[in-house]
Amino acid sequence: MTRQEQVNSREKSLSENIVIITLVACLMSVFIYYFFKQEDNFTKANFTAAASTFASRVTAIRAQWFMENQPQIVNVKKEGLKIAVNDKGWVDFQGAQGNCIKVWRAVMKTELTFMNNPVAVLELMQTSPTSQRRCRFQLASGEYFDYALQTGMVSNISIAK
């Protein structure tokens, strides 16, 4: 192979490498674009799943309350937790300051975060037609669900648009 052929061969492989790198960079940018475009959908789906998990754990705690002859505090032996319940067996730290925060921590077994996002907690009081207390767990993006302390219902699962 002559010197000129070697130079041409190197130039050809250099240009091929540049084309391949450019193509890979374009494909990566398309992937990143669609990933971030769908990130909100991931959060919404996971928060809906978190609400379902919350509801099933509350129901499991109430079932244990029934099995233990309806005490005021349910001992979850697997996790070593003592969870306060109301007279109907639903998780409720009645009269305690930060009741809804304690409910979240007891049921979800985590701090007030979800996918590295803080969870805002509100205690709502509805007086008509009957007096009802609810906890609302909400993300900054607008997704939330409510937990009715007297009935144990997890409802109003709302997904921001």
Side-chain angles (χ1 to χ4, degrees), residues 48-116:
T48 301
S52 297
T53 299
F54 187 93
S56 65
R57 287 182 180 170
V58 165
T59 304
I61 291 166
R62 185 162 193 250
Q64 186 169 344
W65 175 76
F66 274 118
M67 290 186 287
E68 292 179 358
N69 295 322
Q70 305 174 358
Q72 290 197 335
I73 294 179
V74 175
N75 292 314
V76 182
K77 293 176 179 80
K78 226 165 56 169
E79 286 112 25
L81 295 172
K82 292 184 177 190
I83 300 173
V85 294
N86 59 24
D87 59 342
K88 294 183 181 171
W90 300 110
V91 178
D92 186 0
F93 293 85
Q94 296 173 345
Q97 191 169 12
N99 181 24
C100 291
I101 294 171
K102 290 179 180 181
V103 168
W104 174 274
R105 287 179 180 156
V107 173
M108 297 302 279
K109 301 174 206 123
T110 64
E111 288 301 315
L112 290 166
T113 59
F114 176 76
M115 293 179 61
N116 296 329

